[in-house]
Amino acid sequence: MKGQKGFALAATFSHPLQLAQPWRRLGRQLKRWWQLAEQRRQLAMLGDAQLKDIGLSRADALQEAERPFWDDPCSH
C-alpha cells in the first residue's frame, strides 16, 4: 500500500517543471498585484490637470485608487 501511494505522487509530478508551475503562477499573480497597487498609488498622486488629460475626475481616480490590490479588472 505505501509503495502505491508513493508511486501515485511520483506519477503526478513526473517532470521537474511540473513542480515549478504552481510557483510560477504564484509569482506572476504576486507581480500583477504589485503592479496594480503601484498603478493605483500613482493614479491617486496625479494632479487635476493630469486627470483631466486622461478623462478622469478626482472622484474617479480616488474610487479606483481605493480598490484593493487583488481586485483585478483583467481577471473577470
Side-chain angles (χ1 to χ4, degrees):
M1 290 291 180
K2 289 182 184 178
Q4 291 176 344
K5 188 175 186 179
F7 175 74
L9 290 175
T12 302
F13 298 107
S14 60
H15 194 276
L17 290 178
Q18 288 178 322
L19 290 171
Q21 287 301 326
W23 294 108
R24 285 189 180 129
R25 281 194 303 269
L26 177 62
R28 284 192 302 266
Q29 186 64 57
L30 292 173
K31 181 180 178 183
R32 175 68 180 150
W33 284 343
W34 183 85
Q35 290 171 337
L36 282 172
E38 181 66 15
Q39 289 169 5
R40 289 174 178 159
R41 185 187 67 76
Q42 290 176 354
L43 181 63
M45 294 173 51
L46 292 178
D48 290 333
Q50 294 167 316
L51 290 171
K52 185 178 178 184
D53 285 345
I54 61 173
L56 293 176
S57 68
R58 171 66 51 199
D60 293 336
L62 291 177
Q63 182 179 7
E64 180 63 28
E66 290 175 354
R67 290 173 64 180
F69 65 87
W70 62 85
D71 190 1
D72 187 352
C74 294
S75 68
H76 302 299

